[in-house]
């Protein structure tokens, strides 16, 4: 199949369908309890960029690899074990010597409670001085990686915000990918907590607008495009309860005009009624096909919202690589995101058959 919106390198000529560049943290989840009162946690790996490649591997069956860095200790090896379960090639992981107490280098931890009803989800990151934040552009032989054959590179604004050097790493990787004919996707993923100590919104816009020049497929939500790139979405209220797709279409047209390198742009639409009930949808645009809008799901029941946007991105990427149209791609993205939010953890447990069924209008009727 050939999607008219995006042309990727032939899969037969490539070692990987997707490579992700980003930090992979150990998530500690108290389940139905609060972080402040729990006495036990479930643990798994997660990261905004990693989750996309893992979804493409585990749900959609594509070949993937992760480029990241970890401190070489028991926690780092636990994260590695989780990533191996996720099915990604870890041979590009950069291992850093551990100093014994984490004064110089450590692994990131993410304590996240899911929220319920009127109590919103809360994430508390412990990620200062992590191995990934200390990566440098020449740590990886980017030309060797992409010369081996990579159809798609995914990275984003979380990785770029970790330090001055990670933005430079992202730029080096993205530039090399484009030299070798690899499609580059970027999820803006604006996180105020990451930017507030290094220049806030102004710095976020400076970094992301520079990196945007290397992007083929730009992904984000309403806050991402406003905070990270400075594109206002007119008519959207502060609580995001009235998501007018017309306003998003106007914003996308503005972004496409300013960045002629964008081949496609996609945004999720989330209206938060409570931690447990969201309105959920998505729209996408490409130069070849114009606009496409996914099925809007009002009052979608949420178990764990973390990772829903990443699963949207992986479904979208799968559609752009493997399906016939942008309309199918955005439907697969929205369906995959919806399914991912029905299970705990950052990463998807959905199958391709489940995504295809939901994308085509299937219900939650019991299967026996």
């Amino acid at each position: 199949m050939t999607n008219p919106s995006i042309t990727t390198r032939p899969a037969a000529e490539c070692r990987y369908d997707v490579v992700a560049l980003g930090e992979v943290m150990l998530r500690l989840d108290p389940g139905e309890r609060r972080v402040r009162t729990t006495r036990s946690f479930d643990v798994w790996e997660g990261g905004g960029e990693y989750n996309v490649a893992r979804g493409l591997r585990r749900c959609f069956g594509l070949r993937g690899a992760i480029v990241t860095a970890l401190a070489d200790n028991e926690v780092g090896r636990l994260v590695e074990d989780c990533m191996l379960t996720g099915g990604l090639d870890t041979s590009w992981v950069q291992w850093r010597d551990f100093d014994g107490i984490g004064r110089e280098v450590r692994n990131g931890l993410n304590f996240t409670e899911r929220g319920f009803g009127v109590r919103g989800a809360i994430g508390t990151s412990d990620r200062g001085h992590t191995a990934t934040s200390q990566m440098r552009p020449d740590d990886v032989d980017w030309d060797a990686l992409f010369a081996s054959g990579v159809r798609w590179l995914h990275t984003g604004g979380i990785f770029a915000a970790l330090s001055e050097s990670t933005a430079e790493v992202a730029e080096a990787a993205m530039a090399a990918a484009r030299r070798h004919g690899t499609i580059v996707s970027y999820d803006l993923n604006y996180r105020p907590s990451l930017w507030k100590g290094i220049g806030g919104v102004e710095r976020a816009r400076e970094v992301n607008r520079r990196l945007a020049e290397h992007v083929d497929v730009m992904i984000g939500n309403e806050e991402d495009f406003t905070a990270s790139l400075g594109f206002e979405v007119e008519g959207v209220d502060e609580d995001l309860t009235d998501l007018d797709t017309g306003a998003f279409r106007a914003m996308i047209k503005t972004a496409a005009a300013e960045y002629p390198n964008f081949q496609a742009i996609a945004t999720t639409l989330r209206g938060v009624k409570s931690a447990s009930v969201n309105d959920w949808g998505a729209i996408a645009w490409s130069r070849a096909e114009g606009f496409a809008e996914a099925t809007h799901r009002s009052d979608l029941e949420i178990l764990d919202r973390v990772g829903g946007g990443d699963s949207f991105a992986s479904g979208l990427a799968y559609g752009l690589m493997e399906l016939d149209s942008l309309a199918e791609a955005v439907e697969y993205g929205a369906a995959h995101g919806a399914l991912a939010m029905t299970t705990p953890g950052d990463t998807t447990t959905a199958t391709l058959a489940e995504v295809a069924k939901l994308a085509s209008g299937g219900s939650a009727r019991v299967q026996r």
Side-chain angles (χ1 to χ4, degrees):
M1 296 181 180
T2 301
N3 193 300
S5 291
I6 295 292
T7 301
T8 64
R9 296 179 63 178
E13 299 176 5
C14 293
R15 179 180 181 184
Y16 303 115
D17 296 299
V18 61
V19 168
L21 168 64
E23 183 160 71
V24 186
M25 304 174 72
L26 186 69
R27 174 174 170 179
L28 294 96
D29 184 341
E32 296 176 351
R33 299 170 297 275
R34 304 292 305 271
V35 167
R36 64 175 64 187
T37 58
T38 191
R39 297 298 181 267
S40 63
F41 293 94
D42 288 325
V43 296
W44 37 64
E45 86 285 20
E49 298 83 11
Y50 164 84
N51 295 341
V52 177
R54 189 191 191 281
L56 283 163
R57 173 65 187 90
R58 293 292 286 172
C59 178
F60 297 104
L62 301 186
R63 304 158 297 167
I66 175 66
V67 180
T68 191
L70 292 167
D72 194 355
N73 59 22
E74 294 304 298
V75 175
R77 293 298 173 178
L78 172 56
V79 174
E80 179 193 33
D81 196 60
C82 292
M83 292 193 296
L84 291 170
T85 300
L88 297 183
D89 184 351
T90 59
S91 62
W92 298 92
V93 173
Q94 309 292 299
W95 290 98
R96 303 291 183 248
D97 291 336
F98 184 58
D99 60 18
I101 61 172
R103 180 182 291 112
E104 297 177 358
V105 64
R106 52 195 295 273
N107 297 303
L109 305 177
N110 178 21
F111 297 81
T112 299
E113 57 185 63
R114 305 170 200 166
F116 183 82
V118 296
R119 176 173 59 85
I122 298 176
T124 303
S125 295
D126 181 13
R127 68 196 309 172
H129 309 294
T130 59
T132 306
S133 71
Q134 299 178 49
M135 288 183 70
R136 297 291 185 269
D138 59 357
D139 285 345
V140 176
D141 187 339
W142 300 111
D143 283 309
L145 171 58
F146 293 109
S148 71
V150 180
R151 298 171 72 195
W152 196 286
L153 168 69
H154 182 75
T155 190
I158 293 177
F159 177 72
L162 296 180
S163 68
E164 291 283 347
S165 65
T166 55
E168 296 172 357
V169 174
E171 190 165 24
M174 296 160 80
R178 288 170 67 89
R179 284 197 300 272
H180 290 275
T182 298
I183 293 295
V184 175
S185 66
Y186 189 92
D187 193 332
L188 291 162
N189 257 334
Y190 178 71
R191 298 289 185 270
S193 59
L194 290 177
W195 292 102
K196 70 178 182 180
I198 55 173
V201 171
E202 292 76 15
R203 179 59 178 161
R205 289 180 181 175
E206 177 187 341
V207 170
N208 284 291
R209 288 178 69 86
R210 185 178 85 240
L211 295 179
E213 297 176 0
H214 302 281
V215 173
D216 298 297
V217 180
M218 181 61 81
I219 303 168
N221 63 25
E222 65 292 320
E223 183 183 20
D224 296 333
F225 277 96
T226 299
S228 297
L229 294 179
F231 296 118
E232 297 294 334
V233 184
E234 299 294 337
V236 175
D237 66 351
E238 183 178 353
D239 294 325
L240 306 177
T241 56
D242 181 18
L243 297 176
D244 176 13
T245 60
F248 284 89
R249 289 169 184 254
M251 180 275 292
I252 286 172
K253 287 181 179 178
T254 301
E258 184 158 341
Y259 291 94
N261 50 290
F262 290 174
Q263 298 183 48
I265 303 171
T267 181
T268 54
L269 305 172
R270 184 196 294 270
V272 179
K273 295 182 175 179
S274 75
S276 315
V277 177
N278 292 181
D279 291 340
W280 174 256
I283 58 173
W285 166 94
S286 74
R287 295 191 186 277
E289 297 181 82
F291 282 96
E293 186 168 341
T295 300
H296 186 73
R297 295 180 171 87
S298 299
D299 298 326
L300 180 69
E301 293 178 293
I302 304 293
L303 179 64
D304 185 351
R305 66 168 284 168
V306 178
D310 302 331
S311 291
F312 166 77
S314 59
L316 178 79
Y318 171 79
L320 290 173
M321 281 190 275
E322 301 294 332
L323 302 180
D324 287 329
S325 69
L326 180 67
E328 291 176 282
V330 72
E331 282 287 6
Y332 270 59
H336 191 218
L339 287 167
M341 292 185 288
T342 67
T343 55
D346 292 30
T347 55
T348 180
T349 61
T351 67
L352 176 54
E354 290 171 334
V355 173
K357 177 184 174 183
L358 186 59
S360 62
S363 72
R365 186 177 177 86
V366 65
Q367 298 180 53
R368 295 177 179 172

